[in-house]
Amino acid sequence: MLRSVPYSEAQRLWTRPERVVLAVSNGPEGVPDIIALGWHMRTSGIPPMLAISVGKTKFSHNLISETREFVFSVPGEDLWRQVAFCGTHSGRDVDKFKETGLTPVPAKRVKPPLIGECIVNIECRVAGELDTGDHTIFVGEVLECWVGDEGKRNLLLVGKEPGYMLLGEERGYRFGVVR
Amino acid sequence: MLRSVPYSEAQRLWTRPERVVLAVSNGPEGVPDIIALGWHMRTSGIPPMLAISVGKTKFSHNLISETREFVFSVPGEDLWRQVAFCGTHSGRDVDKFKETGLTPVPAKRVKPPLIGECIVNIECRVAGELDTGDHTIFVGEVLECWVGDEGKRNLLLVGKEPGYMLLGEERGYRFGVVR
């Protein structure tokens, strides 16, 4: 039996676990910004492309829109505090590499740096964008891929179901991994 | 220490678990098609919108492109066989509701039906689309939401890490849930 509900209630039932990623873009005077993103997907196999949804009010939004490039970085379980920091602070106010201690590593084909501690870093050039309400979808064509130390579990945003190990919580976001 | 790798290798490390969903679109003569999708994301909070990436060669691609509407349906653990069937057959050849036994339930504001057995059904009107290599991103504005029986776990595409219960495998796709 189906029951009509508000979106907020439906959303609660299908959005966890959500893999959380970072996107690095290039700031003015070369200070890069890092944004935390739960809303992303693959969107082409040949050529490989990724899509990210970035809130229009975010500092990174304008950087990506203007520079047309970003690094898509996948954090492991060891980085939940850094990801939470990036997700709750603005690059208008803080230098996120400096504050989190994450290591910027020069990329090969784009200006924003890779994140040395991430499981995967993917250099992307913006191949398309689409306005969607309060976010913009940026489609990144994959230029170069890098992997780091293996064996770390992907960092997830999790609900309250069993089966996850909760690593920490920040402003209602629950960071965890599959047990 | 970061190591440069081909995309196929990087992809293996960051794409699991992936929540798998279904999209229902309206076929010619009212026979609806159901496509299985691993590539989807939320993309706006106000107004609520979802994005799905649909392969350009898929039967559903043209249906959604022409009719500008779809139902986004979230399967639980009990539907892995039906989802595998939808993901490995074409609506050009088979009536997927008939072959899977899934129950079409009339929607309120769009022509394609809801799926009676799904955890969540969301009626969407296409608010934008973007060409991305071999797929098209369709952005759906949320019109109506429905929930079904609670307590089912979300169906996932999983890797080979521990922590998941494997429900079944079909053409290399591993369907499972968090234990």
Side-chain angles (χ1 to χ4, degrees), chain A residues 14 19 42-43 46 53 134, chain B residues 11 14 19 43 46 53 134:
Chain A
W14 71 273
R19 284 175 282 123
R42 288 182 281 173
T43 190
I46 302 172
S53 289
D134 56 18
Chain B
Q11 198 174 212
W14 72 273
R19 282 176 284 125
T43 189
I46 303 173
S53 289
D134 56 17

Side-chain angles (χ1 to χ4, degrees), chain A residues 1-7 9-19 21 38-53 72 74 105 108 114-122 127-137 139 142 144-150 154 156 162-164 178-179, chain B residues 1-7 9-19 21 38-53 72 74 105 108 114-122 127-137 139 142 144-150 154 156 162-164 178-179:
Chain A
M1 190 65 194
L2 302 181
R3 185 166 55 87
S4 174
V5 296
Y7 180 66
E9 186 177 336
Q11 198 176 211
R12 193 177 51 79
L13 293 172
W14 71 273
T15 57
R16 294 287 179 269
E18 193 156 73
R19 284 175 282 123
V21 302
W39 298 2
H40 56 86
M41 64 179 173
R42 288 182 281 173
T43 190
S44 176
I46 302 172
M49 295 185 180
L50 312 172
I52 57 176
S53 289
F72 182 97
V74 181
V105 174
K108 188 167 161 189
L114 315 172
I115 299 178
E117 291 80 1
C118 278
I119 299 174
V120 173
N121 282 275
I122 302 178
E129 71 179 87
L130 183 63
D131 186 307
T132 65
D134 56 18
H135 284 60
T136 297
I137 296 177
V139 171
V142 172
E144 290 284 335
C145 299
W146 305 86
V147 299
D149 300 336
E150 302 221 5
N154 276 38
L156 303 173
Y164 300 104
V178 174
R179 270 184 204 279
Chain B
M1 190 64 196
L2 301 181
R3 185 166 55 85
S4 173
V5 297
Y7 180 65
E9 186 177 338
Q11 198 174 212
R12 195 176 50 78
L13 293 172
W14 72 273
T15 58
R16 293 288 179 268
E18 194 156 72
R19 282 176 284 125
V21 302
W39 298 2
H40 56 85
M41 64 179 174
R42 286 180 282 173
T43 189
S44 176
I46 303 173
M49 294 184 178
L50 312 172
I52 57 176
S53 289
F72 182 97
V74 182
V105 174
K108 187 169 163 189
L114 315 171
I115 299 177
E117 292 79 3
C118 278
I119 299 175
V120 173
N121 283 275
I122 302 177
E129 72 178 88
L130 183 62
D131 185 310
T132 64
D134 56 17
H135 284 59
T136 298
I137 296 177
V139 172
V142 172
E144 288 285 334
C145 299
W146 305 85
V147 300
D149 300 335
E150 301 222 6
N154 276 38
L156 304 173
Y164 300 104
V178 173
R179 269 184 204 281

Side-chain angles (χ1 to χ4, degrees), chain A residues 16-91:
Chain A
R16 294 287 179 269
E18 193 156 73
R19 284 175 282 123
V20 59
V21 302
L22 300 169
V24 191
S25 52
N26 214 42
E29 299 161 29
V31 178
D33 189 37
I34 312 175
I35 192 169
L37 298 168
W39 298 2
H40 56 86
M41 64 179 173
R42 288 182 281 173
T43 190
S44 176
I46 302 172
M49 295 185 180
L50 312 172
I52 57 176
S53 289
V54 182
K56 288 180 182 170
T57 61
K58 303 290 183 185
F59 183 58
S60 286
H61 183 279
N62 291 349
L63 300 183
I64 296 171
S65 183
E66 284 165 19
T67 61
R68 318 299 292 168
E69 51 186 30
F70 61 90
V71 173
F72 182 97
S73 301
V74 181
E77 55 196 307
D78 54 330
L79 299 184
W80 83 265
R81 285 178 196 281
Q82 290 87 337
V83 173
F85 183 90
C86 292
T88 53
H89 292 76
S90 170

